[in-house]
Amino acid sequence: MSRRAQEAFSRGQAALQGGNISLGLFWLERAERMSRTNPNLKWAVGLACLSAGRLADCLLRMRELRETYALREAAFLEVLCLVRLERLDEAGCRMQDALSRFHATPETHPIADQIAAAGGRLGWMTASNNGTLLIRAARPVRLLLDGQEVATGLKDGVHVLSEGWRLARQLEVRSGRRHVLGSPLDIAALTRCESFVEADIDGLTGWIWTPAEPEHVPQVTLWDGSHLRAEAFAQDVDSDIPLARNRIFHVPAALLPPGDPGPLELRDANGHLLTGAPVDPLTGRLVTGQTGGLAARFQPVAVRSGMPRASGLRASPGCAVVIPVYAACSTTMACLRTVLVTCPADVPVIVVDDASPEPALASALDRFAEEGRILLIRHDRNRGFPISANDGIRAAEGRDILLLNSDTLVPAGWVERLRARLIQSDTGTVTPFSNDATIMSYPSVDRSNPVPSLREMRAMDRLCRDVCGDGAGTGGDRIELPTAHGFCMAISADCLLEVGLFREDIFAQGYGEENDFCLRASAKGFRHLAAPELFVAHVGSASFGGARKALGARNLQILNALHPGYNQLVKCFIKADPLHETRRRLDAAALLRLAAGRPAVLMVQHDAGGGVGRVVRERSAAFEAAGELALALRPHATGCLLEHVSEEKRFPNLKFSLPRELPGLLDLLRSLRVRVVEWHHLIGHAPAIRTLHEALDIPCDIFIHDHIWFCPRISLCDGEGRYCGEPDQAGCEKCVSRWGGYLGEDISISGLLARSAHELSSARALMAPTDDTVRRITRHFPGLTIQTIPLEDDAELQADIRAARPGLSGQPLRVCVVGGISQWKGYDVLLDLAREIRAHRLPIELSLVGHTHDDDALIALGVRVTGEYRENEVQDLIRQQKPDVGLIPSIAPETWCYALGQVWRSGLEAVCFDLGAQGERVRKSGAGLAIPLGIPAFQLAAILMRKWGSSR
C-alpha cells in the first residue's frame, strides 16, 4: 500500500508539472486515500484542488492542517479559499487570526489589503522574527507592547522593533481603540521555536526552526553565551509536522569544554532551552558503546532484580502530591481542581512551576498558594520535568510521593487507593490504569484510546473500583510491572531513601527518567505494582511539540545503554500480558452495564468486513432500535472476540482462547441474556462456535451470504476464475482436489453437505437476500424454507437513473466499475476489456472506483483506479469519473451486490452478466442489461458502444 501510494503521488506530481491538473488530482487523491494519515499528501491534494477550482475541498484540507498542526501556509490558504468562495466575513476572522500568529510573506499581502478594505479596517500588520514590523495603514498608528505605548505616528512601511520586544506577550498596532488587522499580535506564537539537540561521538547535533516564519534563520545560544546560526536545512528529520523546515546545527567535539563538563545548556533566541538540553556530551560515547574511561554515572548496569525484600506492613511517614507544571493553563487548572477536591486534609499538594510562559497560569497558581491550597515552588527559568519533580520530592520532606502530571484528571479516593498499595514494605511504586499509559492503558493497550471527559473518567474509575476492589494493597492482586509510568506514580518514601531521586543530568525535559528510577529500584529488590482499581485520565504527551518523537527516541536509546536488557524486559511483559484477565473483567462488567438487562442477539461473522460486515451492522441497528443488545462474535488468532456491534472498539479485551476459555465465554453470554445466535459467517471460527447455541440452549437463525454451505471454494469458481456450473458431488471433489478450498478445515464434500444439511435444517429460521440464492441452496438441500430478505430497496436506488442516451460525438464512452474487484468479482473480465480497448483504440474510458489485487496491470492499460475508499466517499468518486454507464463484471453468482446499488444510486444504468443476484436484480428492474456469461471482451465492448455510445 505504501509503495502504491508513493507511485500514485509521483504520477500525480508529474501530471501537474505537465499541466494536466485533472489527472494530477486523480492520482494525488488516490495516494491520499492509501495514506490517510499523511499530512504532506493532504497538503498536496489541497493545492491541486485549489488549482482545479475545487475550493470547498481545498478549504476542508487546509482547515484540518491548520487546526491540527498550526500550519502557517494552511492558515493563509484557508483565507484565500474563503475569499474566492465570497465568504468575506469568515475570511476576515481567519485573516485576523493568521496575522496575529504568523509572519505574512509578500504573496499574502494583496489578499490582506483586500480583506482589510472589505472589512473597513484601518489596515493590517505583520511582524518578523528579525525584529521588524510591516504596517499597511490608512492613517498614522500607535505601537504598544503589553499595553505600554512605545511608538506613535507610525506610517506605512517597515519599522524596527525596540530591543527586548521578544520579552513582551502582546504587540498592538492601533489608532485610538481601533486595531489594524492582525493586532494584537501573539509574540509567543510568532517567536516559538521547535528544536532538538543530542550528543554523538563527534560533538552535539540538532535542529531548530520557527514554524510561524520558516524562512527565518534562527540562532542557538551556547552555554558560554556565544551564538550559532542554523542556516542549512535538514534532510532527514523524522517530523510529524507537514512542510517542516528544520535547520541543522553542529557543535564539533573540539569546541566542547574539555574533560567531563557535565550537562550543557543550549537555548533559542527566546532564552528557552532546546528540547534535549541540558545535554551531557558524554552520552554520545555511552550510546555508541564507547564506555571505556567514562565516569561511573555512565557505566551500564544490566537489568536485574535484586534479592527479594521482606514483605510486611510498613508505617507510612505521610504522603504528599507533587505536580510539576509548565504550560497549558486550562488543562493544568482542570487537573488541579480535581486534585484539590479529592486530597485529604493531611496530604499537601506541592506544585512546581517550571517557569511557565503563561501569565494566566502563573497568576492562578499564585492565588492557590496565597489561599493556602498548594505549596508553590517556582523556577526562575525552565529546567525540565526531572528537576521539577525532584524539587517537589525534596519539599515533601521524606513523605511517600504521589507524582502527577499536570494533564491528568483524578477521581475521588485516588489518594487512599494508591496509598493502600504502598502499605507493603517491598513495594517501590504503584501505577493506576489510564486511557494513555502504555502498558497500563485501558481499555486498549495497543492503540490510542479517546481522552475521557471528567464525567467519563469518573465512570471509568467507578468501573475499576467496583470490579477490582477498593484499596487492594493488603490482599488483592499484586500484578508486577517492569517499571512505573510517570503520568501518575506513587513512590514509597523507603524506596526514595534507598534509590535516590530522578536523574537530572541526562533526560533533559523528560521521557525515561521514571524508567531509570524503577530499574535502579528493582536492583534493590523493590516491586512496581499495578493499581487496576484506580483509573486516572491522561490527556497525553503534547509537551514537546514536534520534538516529542526525537526526544523519546533519544532518551530510550540512553535508557537501553544504561540498562542493557530493558527493551527485552518490556517485550516479555507485553507477551505475557498479565493484565489481560483484569482488562477482560472490566470490559465484561462495562458491557453488562451497557446491556442494562436487555435481551441480546449474538451475530457470528467472519473478520473480513465487506458485505457481511455491513449486513451485521444494519441488522444490529434494527435490533438496538427494538430495544435489544446487538453483539457480534469475530474469529481471533486463538479463538474469538466478542463485540458490541455499534461500538466495536469499546470492548477490545473480550478475547477468548478456544476451547480452553469456552466456559468463561458461555458464562458471559448467559449473563448478557443472549436469546438467539444468528449465523452470518463461520469461516475462521473455532469448531466450538458451531455448537455455541446448543451449549446456551437457545435457537439459531442463519443468514445465508454465500455458497459456503456446499462449495469449499465459496464463490462457485474454479482456480482459473470460471463459474463452475455447480456440478455433481464428484465434480466438486475433482475441483477442490485440483484447486483447493478456503474453509480452513479438512472436510470432504460429502462431509460438508451432511453437516450443512443438519445445520440448515436445525435452524429456527433461514434467510437469504435474493430468490436466486434461495433456489441454489434448495437445489442442494431440498425441503428447506428460506425467507427472502433484500438488503436494499432497489426501487429507491433506481429513483435517479438516467435512461440510456446517445453520447456526445467525439467524446469517449466512460464506463465505471465499483468495488474491490477480485478474480471472481471480474478482475480478468476488466483486464481483457482494457486490452481490447487499447488494442483497437476504442473510444471507451474505463475507471475503477475501488481496487484490485493488481492495480498496476490495469493502470498500465489506461484504467483509472481510484484505490480503496470509505463508504461515504464512493458517490463523490463515481461522480468525478463522469461516467455514462456502470459495469458489474462479476463472473460468479453473487447473493447480493452492493456495488450494483452504488451504480444505481449514482444515476447510472448497469451492465452485468446474467447470473446470481446481480442478474436477477437487473432483469427485474430493467435498469440496465444482463448479458450472457462468458462472452468475449470484444462483444462486451460492442454491447457497451451500441447501447450507450452509438454516436461515438
Side-chain angles (χ1 to χ4, degrees):
M1 187 68 78
S2 176
R3 178 186 60 81
R4 287 182 176 184
Q6 291 174 30
E7 290 175 354
F9 178 76
S10 297
R11 286 173 180 262
Q13 293 291 76
L16 290 175
Q17 290 170 8
N20 192 333
I21 295 175
S22 176
L23 183 61
L25 188 49
F26 169 83
W27 285 112
L28 290 179
E29 287 187 299
R30 171 180 161 89
E32 183 186 33
R33 282 188 294 276
M34 290 179 169
S35 188
R36 293 181 183 272
T37 60
N38 188 321
N40 294 300
L41 278 173
K42 195 176 298 294
W43 168 257
V45 173
L47 287 183
C49 286
L50 183 65
S51 298
R54 287 170 46 185
L55 298 175
D57 290 331
C58 177
L59 177 64
L60 186 68
R61 288 168 173 83
M62 294 304 153
R63 180 163 294 164
E64 183 177 339
L65 288 169
R66 188 256 306 164
E67 291 175 347
T68 306
Y69 300 101
L71 187 63
R72 178 187 69 166
E73 292 79 0
F76 284 111
L77 276 184
E78 185 181 3
V79 174
L80 177 62
C81 289
L82 289 169
V83 169
R84 292 187 180 178
L85 289 167
E86 298 183 355
R87 292 157 59 176
L88 294 182
D89 288 344
E90 286 182 70
C93 292
R94 296 280 14 117
M95 180 59 91
Q96 166 63 32
D97 183 71
L99 290 174
S100 70
R101 298 172 57 81
F102 306 110
H103 172 70
T105 61
E107 293 83 1
T108 62
H109 294 180
I111 196 169
D113 288 333
Q114 179 183 350
I115 291 175
R121 303 293 287 263
L122 290 171
W124 58 273
M125 53 146 283
T126 187
S128 170
N129 279 274
N130 64 13
T132 61
L133 174 68
L134 172 64
I135 297 175
R136 292 277 184 87
R139 67 180 71 167
V141 293
R142 298 186 299 150
L143 175 63
L144 300 92
L145 288 172
D146 288 344
Q148 297 296 313
E149 185 176 291
V150 294
T152 186
L154 299 180
K155 299 180 180 179
D156 266 10
V158 177
H159 305 272
V160 177
L161 294 170
S162 57
E163 189 73 23
W165 67 276
R166 286 174 173 270
L167 300 177
R169 299 187 302 273
Q170 201 173 75
L171 182 153
E172 297 172 78
V173 176
R174 68 189 199 205
S175 175
R177 294 185 177 181
R178 294 185 63 194
H179 290 263
V180 299
L181 198 63
S183 173
L185 171 76
D186 183 342
I187 294 176
L190 175 72
T191 61
R192 180 179 67 89
C193 288
E194 294 277 1
S195 61
F196 175 68
V197 63
E198 63 182 335
D200 61 25
I201 200 64
D202 298 320
L204 304 180
T205 60
W207 51 260
I208 184 170
W209 70 298
T210 311
E213 190 179 4
E215 55 276 8
H216 174 68
V217 178
Q219 72 177 14
V220 176
T221 301
L222 303 182
W223 54 91
D224 59 1
S226 62
H227 301 291
L228 180 69
R229 282 171 60 86
E231 299 194 16
F233 286 105
Q235 302 297 320
D236 56 356
V237 174
D238 183 12
S239 175
D240 293 329
I241 301 175
L243 304 182
R245 278 165 275 183
N246 310 71
R247 296 173 183 266
I248 57 174
F249 63 87
H250 175 60
V251 183
L255 297 183
L256 298 175
D260 182 0
L264 301 176
E265 294 188 352
L266 291 83
R267 297 181 178 272
D268 62 23
N270 304 306
H272 300 147
L273 280 171
L274 303 192
T275 302
V279 55
D280 193 314
L282 295 184
T283 57
R285 290 176 56 188
L286 171 68
V287 298
T288 55
Q290 301 180 38
T291 56
L294 278 182
R297 70 181 187 278
F298 287 132
Q299 291 302 318
V301 178
V303 169
R304 69 184 190 279
S305 294
M307 292 293 293
R309 304 176 70 88
S311 179
L313 300 182
R314 59 183 279 271
S316 172
C319 176
V321 176
V322 173
I323 310 175
V325 306
Y326 175 65
C329 180
S330 60
T331 301
T332 300
M333 294 309 296
C335 170
L336 287 174
R337 282 192 289 270
T338 63
V339 169
L340 292 174
V341 299
T342 56
C343 265
D346 63 340
V347 176
V349 177
I350 303 169
V351 177
V352 183
D353 178 2
D354 194 22
S356 173
E358 299 182 10
L361 176 56
S363 297
L365 296 178
D366 286 339
R367 287 196 301 273
F368 281 159
E370 290 167 3
E371 294 167 0
R373 303 178 71 185
I374 65 172
L375 171 63
L376 180 62
I377 301 170
R378 175 164 286 141
H379 292 162
D380 60 354
R381 56 195 176 96
N382 181 245
R383 306 194 68 190
F385 185 88
I387 292 177
S388 298
N390 284 348
D391 284 350
I393 293 170
R394 293 186 189 98
E397 299 178 333
R399 295 180 174 89
D400 294 336
I401 298 297
L402 305 185
L403 181 62
L404 195 64
N405 276 14
S406 62
D407 57 355
T408 54
L409 300 172
V410 294
W414 70 285
V415 172
E416 292 83 352
R417 277 175 273 173
L418 286 176
R419 295 188 72 181
R421 285 280 181 183
L422 287 176
I423 200 168
Q424 297 288 336
S425 60
D426 63 344
T427 300
T429 71
V430 180
T431 306
F433 268 141
S434 177
N435 56 289
D436 181 11
T438 58
I439 58 176
M440 283 302 295
S441 293
Y442 176 79
S444 180
V445 73
D446 54 9
R447 66 185 177 205
S448 297
N449 296 304
V451 178
S453 65
L454 184 61
R455 180 184 61 80
E456 291 167 337
M457 177 274 293
R458 288 169 175 161
M460 293 284 269
D461 179 66
R462 283 194 298 272
L463 176 71
C464 291
R465 184 189 61 210
D466 294 347
V467 172
C468 300
D470 192 351
T474 56
D477 294 337
R478 283 167 61 86
I479 298 174
E480 289 192 43
L481 307 174
T483 71
H485 193 296
F487 84 100
C488 178
M489 177 181 178
I491 316 172
S492 78
D494 297 349
C495 183
L496 284 165
L497 184 63
E498 289 195 41
V499 177
L501 301 176
F502 295 123
R503 289 193 67 160
E504 300 179 353
D505 56 338
I506 54 176
F507 294 108
Q509 287 80 6
Y511 282 141
E513 71 282 349
E514 77 270 32
N515 311 80
D516 168 76
F517 173 86
C518 289
L519 292 171
R520 289 187 281 128
S522 296
K524 293 181 178 293
F526 286 101
R527 301 177 187 273
H528 310 291
L529 300 183
E533 67 275 7
L534 173 63
F535 185 92
V536 172
H538 186 204
V539 173
S541 302
S543 306
F544 311 122
R548 176 177 60 87
K549 184 185 296 185
L551 181 64
R554 186 202 77 167
N555 286 4
L556 181 60
Q557 193 177 22
I558 292 173
L559 188 64
N560 275 287
L562 282 172
H563 303 282
Y566 168 73
N567 272 350
Q568 188 61 34
L569 176 70
V570 175
K571 285 180 181 177
C572 289
F573 179 87
I574 292 172
K575 183 178 181 180
D577 198 9
L579 283 162
H580 167 64
E581 178 57 32
T582 302
R583 290 190 179 92
R584 187 166 66 182
R585 285 164 48 209
L586 289 169
D587 271 7
L591 184 55
L592 283 165
R593 292 183 181 186
L594 179 67
R598 293 178 289 162
V601 176
L602 178 65
M603 288 168 279
V604 180
Q605 62 175 325
H606 58 40
D607 200 32
V612 172
R614 176 170 173 174
V615 173
V616 169
R617 289 193 301 273
E618 291 174 351
R619 288 184 67 78
S620 74
F623 287 129
E624 291 278 342
E628 296 187 284
L629 180 70
L631 302 173
L633 206 63
R634 295 181 188 268
H636 187 260
T638 60
C640 64
L641 172 65
L642 181 65
E643 299 173 330
H644 181 249
V645 178
S646 61
E647 300 183 68
E648 61 185 43
K649 295 182 180 179
R650 186 170 165 185
F651 307 102
N653 305 289
L654 295 179
K655 300 170 185 173
F656 295 85
S657 295
L658 299 177
R660 179 172 57 86
E661 294 182 325
L662 179 61
L665 173 62
L666 292 172
D667 287 344
L668 178 56
L669 294 176
R670 291 188 186 104
S671 299
L672 289 165
R673 298 180 60 198
V674 174
R675 66 169 183 83
V676 62
V677 174
E678 190 171 283
W679 285 4
H680 287 266
H681 224 292
L682 287 156
I683 198 163
H685 277 289
I689 302 302
R690 307 193 82 94
T691 57
L692 198 62
H693 60 289
E694 296 173 2
L696 292 169
D697 194 23
I698 57 176
C700 173
D701 297 340
I702 298 176
F703 203 109
I704 298 168
H705 287 279
D706 51 38
H707 306 103
I708 196 171
W709 302 96
F710 59 88
C711 175
R713 292 187 56 77
I714 304 176
S715 64
L716 301 180
C717 290
D718 65 19
E720 294 178 341
R722 293 181 301 231
Y723 170 51
C724 68
E726 300 177 48
D728 59 14
Q729 186 171 322
C732 288
E733 292 279 10
K734 184 178 179 181
C735 175
V736 174
S737 176
R738 181 179 180 186
W739 302 110
Y742 299 119
L743 299 185
E745 57 181 321
D746 186 13
I747 187 170
S748 66
I749 294 295
S750 59
L752 174 63
L753 292 173
R755 184 178 71 184
S756 297
H758 169 72
E759 291 173 341
L760 290 169
S761 61
S762 300
R764 183 184 68 173
L766 299 174
M767 297 159 280
T770 58
D771 294 336
D772 180 88
T773 307
V774 172
R775 284 192 297 271
R776 291 178 193 275
I777 293 292
T778 54
R779 185 184 306 130
H780 292 273
F781 307 102
L784 297 177
T785 299
I786 306 175
Q787 181 185 6
T788 301
I789 301 180
L791 301 181
E792 295 174 288
D793 184 343
D794 281 357
E796 181 181 330
L797 293 173
Q798 297 158 10
D800 296 323
I801 287 181
R802 306 186 300 271
R805 59 183 186 275
L808 298 176
S809 178
Q811 290 189 1
L813 174 69
R814 295 189 176 100
V815 180
C816 183
V817 180
V818 178
I821 307 301
S822 61
Q823 188 180 43
W824 72 268
K825 287 274 190 179
Y827 176 82
D828 292 334
V829 172
L830 191 55
L831 193 66
D832 288 344
L833 181 58
R835 287 171 177 154
E836 188 72 18
I837 293 168
R838 171 68 62 89
H840 297 286
R841 299 182 182 179
L842 299 178
I844 300 176
E845 285 185 358
L846 285 179
S847 61
L848 169 59
V849 174
H851 62 100
T852 72
H853 63 280
D854 187 3
D855 289 353
D856 295 343
L858 291 172
I859 291 168
L861 289 168
V863 182
R864 289 163 61 100
V865 184
T866 66
E868 294 189 41
Y869 55 78
R870 291 175 178 164
E871 193 72 18
N872 62 353
E873 298 170 334
V874 62
Q875 286 300 310
D876 283 341
L877 288 171
I878 293 174
R879 279 191 291 272
Q880 288 173 21
Q881 313 316 311
K882 300 179 181 177
D884 300 298
V885 63
L887 173 64
I888 306 296
S890 297
I891 47 88
E894 299 200 48
T895 57
W896 194 253
C897 182
Y898 281 112
L900 176 60
Q902 295 289 8
V903 167
W904 280 342
R905 185 176 284 112
S906 68
L908 300 176
E909 292 181 314
V911 178
C912 70
F913 294 116
D914 192 6
L915 80 168
Q918 63 271 41
E920 175 184 310
R921 294 169 69 194
V922 169
R923 279 198 320 275
K924 282 184 177 180
S925 67
L929 282 180
I931 60 178
L933 178 65
I935 66 170
F938 77 87
Q939 286 188 334
L940 174 56
I943 289 171
L944 292 168
M945 289 296 298
R946 188 159 52 244
K947 185 167 178 61
W948 285 278
S950 57
S951 298
R952 298 176 173 87

